[in-house]
Amino acid sequence: MKVTVFQFEGTAEELDASQVLKELADQHRGPVSVTANDGPDGGTLPARIPGVADDGQETVRQLLVRSPAPGLFARFLKETSQWDKVGVYGIKRKNALSDAPLDYSRYLRLRRQGSQFGGFAYIYPEYSTINLRLNYSQQELDELGIKSARTLTTGHQEYRVSVDLTDEASLTDALQLAELAYNAT
């Protein structure tokens, strides 16, 4: 028995337009199966990173290229940036001049405009990590049915819950926790 396997990556339009792929498929004798493989991260990046200002688009995109779950991260941003009065911001560095642009090179802040509490989440595109303004214990997370979050023992005492986006369940947990943090700010 001889088995030949080809794997091609690209959008449906790119694969349909590929002359090489057409020639290979025409030479193949036997059944052909095509499967969509978005990978564990839930897809590719959109043309624009949701919620991110124009001056941060390229920097955040470069960070997401190294991310373990760029599609999940983009989906998290798409959902949360649509909430009422939510903005996605870069960070103003401590020693930056007053007219210096925001820095998007390490992490972003999700903030409910008008809130006196600052951000409700600090998000790290390169790692697809979400740190939330929640001071919950692991027991409280367990009671909520949250499986993919962990409590942090270092850093700011208000931001003690973290989720690494790795799969659909972690995205669901991150969105549920982000909504709790949003409502508390």
Side-chain angles (χ1 to χ4, degrees), residues 65-120:
V65 166
R66 298 188 299 261
S67 170
L72 292 173
F73 191 86
R75 287 173 52 202
F76 177 85
L77 269 179
K78 181 179 180 184
E79 174 73 24
T80 55
S81 65
Q82 292 177 3
W83 295 348
D84 189 38
K85 297 183 181 178
V86 169
V88 180
Y89 302 96
I91 304 303
K92 182 68 98 173
R93 294 288 174 198
K94 287 183 182 178
N95 296 327
L97 299 174
S98 61
D99 61 343
L102 295 176
D103 182 1
Y104 293 87
S105 66
R106 185 163 172 243
Y107 59 92
L108 308 173
R109 181 174 53 145
L110 292 178
R111 183 164 191 242
R112 186 177 193 172
Q113 295 168 353
S115 169
Q116 300 303 309
F117 292 106
F120 66 87

Side-chain angles (χ1 to χ4, degrees), residues 40-43 69-77 165-168 170-171:
D41 73 348
L72 292 173
F73 191 86
R75 287 173 52 202
F76 177 85
L77 269 179
L165 298 176
T166 57
D167 56 19
E168 290 296 324
S170 65
L171 177 61

Side-chain angles (χ1 to χ4, degrees), residues 43-158:
T44 58
L45 291 175
R48 261 188 80 68
I49 308 302
V52 176
D54 290 342
D55 58 336
Q57 283 287 322
E58 186 57 34
T59 302
V60 173
R61 183 171 296 283
Q62 289 174 0
L63 292 172
L64 286 171
V65 166
R66 298 188 299 261
S67 170
L72 292 173
F73 191 86
R75 287 173 52 202
F76 177 85
L77 269 179
K78 181 179 180 184
E79 174 73 24
T80 55
S81 65
Q82 292 177 3
W83 295 348
D84 189 38
K85 297 183 181 178
V86 169
V88 180
Y89 302 96
I91 304 303
K92 182 68 98 173
R93 294 288 174 198
K94 287 183 182 178
N95 296 327
L97 299 174
S98 61
D99 61 343
L102 295 176
D103 182 1
Y104 293 87
S105 66
R106 185 163 172 243
Y107 59 92
L108 308 173
R109 181 174 53 145
L110 292 178
R111 183 164 191 242
R112 186 177 193 172
Q113 295 168 353
S115 169
Q116 300 303 309
F117 292 106
F120 66 87
Y122 284 88
I123 57 177
Y124 297 79
E126 184 173 10
Y127 308 107
S128 292
T129 297
I130 315 296
N131 286 356
L132 298 146
R133 185 183 183 90
L134 295 170
N135 194 0
Y136 284 19
S137 68
Q138 192 61 53
Q139 180 180 352
E140 289 170 310
L141 292 172
D142 292 342
E143 289 170 2
L144 289 171
I146 304 293
K147 303 283 187 226
S148 57
R150 66 185 181 286
T151 57
L152 303 174
T153 57
T154 60
H156 193 282
Q157 66 182 6
E158 295 297 324

